Amino acid sequence: MTAPSYTQGPREKALLVMTIGEAFDRSATRFAERDALIVVHQQLRYSWRQLAAEVNRAARAFMALGIEAGDRLGIWAPNCAQWCISQFASAKVGAVLVNINPAYRCSELEYALKQSGCKWLVCADAFKTSDYHAMLAELLPELASSSPDQLASSRLPELRGVISLADQAPAGFLHWRELAELAETVSAEQLAARQATLHCEQAINIQYTSGTTGAPKGATLSHFNILNNGYMVGESLGLSEHDRMVIPVPLYHCFGMVMGNLGCVTHGSTMIYPCAGFEPEASLQAVAQERATVLYGVPTMFIAELDHPRLKAFDLSSLRTGIMAGATCPIEVMRRVIKELHMSEVQIAYGMTETSPVSLQTAADDALEVRVTSVGRTQPQLESKIIDEQGAIVSRGQTGELCTRGYSVMLGYWNNPQASAEAIDTGGWMHTGDLAVMDEQGYVRIVGRSKDMIIRGGENIYPREIEEFLFTHAAIADVQVIGVPDSKYGEEIAVWIKLHPGSGCDENQLREYCKANIAHFKVPRYYRFVDEFPMTVTGKIQKFRMREQTIAELGL
């Protein structure tokens, strides 16, 4: 009889029963003179002792502003030193940090601030095409005539003020540099007393999920959730105080602030931010310049680094490991990362914001074939199962929905009990919405999103399978497969293709390549060659947008 698709992660490794502030203080004491944070684009470097001084100063300033434990503090900025400082300072005073996507526009910003009930907002002045100050002036016309902590907004009644990271900010904003003066009004003893009142199961972070339908939902995470997830990811990577991690992924997302920052803090490793937003050359340069041992990224980032014309100009031999996550990881890309970026111990991690985020991970000593064909096994102290539509656990080798249970599952969606109940069942299982298969050794392979599955003439087709096949074509750098409506078959297969620079390949050649190698019903009908895919700021491909554009262009 085949075993059921259920596994428990190892139990030997104990969970950390402490707050984020306590974990930060522990590393700051143990590794005081070692490098803690290097922000290349701001030309800033901090030892753990120096970073602790900055974090404690900001924490005391937040207390001076009247921020109480449980109050929400928004942060709307790209990767920078102040993001990191705000993350740990807010944790020390027990404020719930609300991560706001740097790509948000006015209506999205208003929604996040209002839905979470933010009391204060930390913001940059601008990023890419977004002028944050201008958007806030539009959203908060009262700000210009308010004193910095006396905002009375008709649209955001709970918001008391805005802290700007800019050198020059319009009237009404509090400048980041003014926090130093405010901090003098609160003593180190008062901060220590506040920290002593906190416990690890309190909410400390809200992250808005980029839902493809409906309004975003605020996944609410505790110290215990995210501190332990960062710790366990770091343990799998074998992190220590001798590791130096380049973090080009956004801090507003779990990948950056949990797997990156908290992974480093729990192990005393160095955090390195190469740029405000991802730039392949800046990331490669930071690795070479800082002799980094760890590099993070989503597949699209690694593809951009591998295809960069100056790749061979950088000495990347210091690299040892890293994480590729955030989207399904193409096999050919994984092989190139190991060979060309020297990341012999690179691992795949799988998860979602609602699970802090990682629930499955490959190991450094897993065979290459395992690391390029699965998302690993269940993380320590967690459980995984794969179920059918009736909720029954399927046998190993069968496809079903992946579910996760354990310390990493969020507290719920902020002020949204209905959505929370729909996501987390009465048994405490988080339903991921991902279709997966578990093998006899407990390794899990993601075969697609349940909503992405294509049903063509009664045949169930998983886009991931066709994508992996197309990656074997030498001309293809990246590929995404979607389903579009069809009057005869119900759905047809469309493919978006990004070619390697200088590669020549057309639709007829790809169609013949498919016909010669895969079943006829899996051969895409529509082909579109593009320079980039629509994606979120975290590098997640937005297949729903691709579907909408394809349907519109083809008049389906």
Side-chain angles (χ1 to χ4, degrees), residues 485-551:
D486 183 77
S487 56
K488 183 177 180 181
Y489 294 106
E491 278 189 293
E492 264 293 3
I493 303 165
V495 58
W496 286 37
I497 299 143
K498 187 177 174 184
L499 297 174
H500 286 295
S503 298
C505 186
D506 62 22
E507 179 179 328
N508 290 333
Q509 289 171 304
L510 280 183
R511 185 175 275 112
E512 290 307 311
Y513 183 68
C514 291
K515 282 180 178 176
N517 292 286
I518 56 176
H520 71 92
F521 65 86
K522 296 178 186 174
V523 176
R525 180 170 175 187
Y526 304 108
Y527 298 77
R528 184 178 178 198
F529 294 86
V530 298
D531 294 324
E532 57 186 22
F533 303 116
M535 59 178 72
T536 67
V537 75
T538 56
K540 284 189 178 178
I541 306 292
Q542 294 179 305
K543 286 198 172 185
F544 71 100
R545 293 207 189 284
M546 293 167 57
R547 195 175 292 113
E548 288 167 0
Q549 289 179 31
T550 305
I551 289 168

Side-chain angles (χ1 to χ4, degrees), residues 115-148:
Q115 203 275 336
S116 62
C118 268
K119 189 170 184 176
W120 277 88
L121 173 68
V122 175
C123 80
D125 54 346
F127 179 58
K128 294 185 177 176
T129 59
S130 297
D131 184 335
Y132 295 163
H133 284 170
M135 281 190 260
L136 283 164
E138 180 186 331
L139 182 60
L140 305 166
E142 306 92 344
L143 190 61
S145 57
S146 302
S147 62

